[in-house]
């Protein structure tokens, strides 16, 4: 975790050294994460909804009649999760999955001004660093009140309440094979008004297998997002 924080500090220092004419923007929006896993040929897809908060730095390094080329690094915090509930034979069950992570997009951006509007398209690598990832489950009803939590990065498993298994904590070596790190390819389009307000739509395509174990298994992620931004 300390390495991540040092990287963020260095990233902020980089912002202070580039051209003062560049623009800093902050934004927020909706994201929909897609997790695709394949175990021995059996493919499954799961969706999660969430939000993101970000800061970006726009540095235009080439301006011609055909448009503007720029470099747009950024830092984005994202949350995504889903939840399923079911009631059967007097028992209420609930299962949730939640993730938080930092993305560092490094986009090359093309823009074309039309009056006070500016249309843009961007693409580039996205470095992703997982902060937390957990699955939780609970069962209630008929004298049973049981809950469990599994940390997908460390494999640590905790449970409490009444159940048919032993209570306490343990370590799941399979879950600890879920990697914190990912590399994605980001693409998107946007429009800004008066170089102040902006709207963008994008998709980050996961390129790496998040599962690091030996089984014939892969996990890949993708993120669709839509958000608003304002230049400072």
């Amino acid at each position: 975790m300390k390495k991540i924080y040092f990287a963020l500090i260095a990233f902020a220092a980089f912002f202070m050294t580039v051209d003062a004419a560049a623009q800093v923007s902050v934004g927020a929006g909706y994201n929909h994460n897609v997790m695709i896993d394949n175990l021995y040929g059996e493919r499954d897809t799961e969706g999660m909804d969430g939000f993101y908060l970000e800061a970006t730095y726009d540095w235009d390094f080439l301006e011609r009649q055909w448009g503007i080329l720029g470099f747009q690094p950024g830092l984005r915090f994202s949350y995504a999760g889903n939840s399923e509930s079911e009631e059967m034979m007097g028992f209420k069950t609930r299962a949730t999955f939640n993730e938080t992570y930092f993305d560092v997009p490094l986009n090359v951006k093309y823009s074309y001004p039309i009056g006070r509007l500016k249309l843009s398209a961007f693409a580039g690598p996205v470095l992703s660093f997982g902060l937390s990832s957990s699955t939780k489950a609970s069962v209630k009803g008929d004298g049973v009140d049981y809950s469990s939590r599994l940390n997908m990065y460390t494999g640590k498993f905790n449970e409490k309440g009444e159940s048919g298994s032993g209570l306490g904590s343990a370590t799941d070596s399979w879950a600890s094979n879920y990697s914190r790190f990912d590399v994605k390819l980001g693409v998107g389009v946007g429009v800004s008004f008066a170089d102040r307000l902006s709207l963008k739509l994008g998709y980050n395509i996961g390129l790496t297998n998040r599962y690091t174990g030996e089984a014939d298994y892969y996990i890949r992620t993708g993120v669709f997002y839509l958000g608003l931004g304002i230049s400072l």
Side-chain angles (χ1 to χ4, degrees), residues 33-156:
N33 290 32
V34 178
M35 179 177 290
I36 302 171
D37 61 79
N38 190 313
L39 178 61
Y40 299 110
E42 293 293 330
R43 178 173 170 144
D44 184 49
T45 302
E46 186 171 358
M48 297 173 286
D49 296 310
F51 66 89
Y52 74 85
L53 305 171
E54 72 171 1
T56 59
Y57 207 80
D58 283 272
W59 174 39
D60 295 335
F61 57 80
L62 181 63
E63 184 172 355
R64 295 290 187 269
Q65 291 182 343
W66 44 260
I68 304 169
L69 281 180
F71 178 55
Q72 187 188 59
L75 179 63
R76 179 182 300 140
F77 168 82
S78 296
Y79 162 84
N82 64 10
S83 177
E84 295 181 0
S85 300
E86 188 175 348
E87 185 170 353
M88 182 181 299
M89 300 177 63
F91 292 94
K92 293 182 179 180
T93 63
R94 182 179 178 86
T96 62
F97 179 78
N98 298 283
E99 278 197 340
T100 60
Y101 55 92
F102 275 126
D103 277 342
V104 180
L106 303 170
N107 289 319
V108 173
K109 183 178 178 181
Y110 168 77
S111 302
Y112 188 83
I114 303 177
R116 302 192 71 185
L117 294 179
K118 183 184 290 184
L119 306 180
S120 62
F122 53 88
V126 180
L127 309 179
S128 186
F129 307 89
L131 299 176
S132 66
S133 180
S134 64
T135 59
K136 299 178 182 179
S138 65
V139 181
K140 294 183 179 181
D142 196 19
V144 174
D145 189 357
Y146 168 78
S147 63
S148 66
R149 181 181 185 275
L150 174 63
N151 186 316
M152 295 297 293
Y153 292 140
T154 66
K156 186 176 181 180

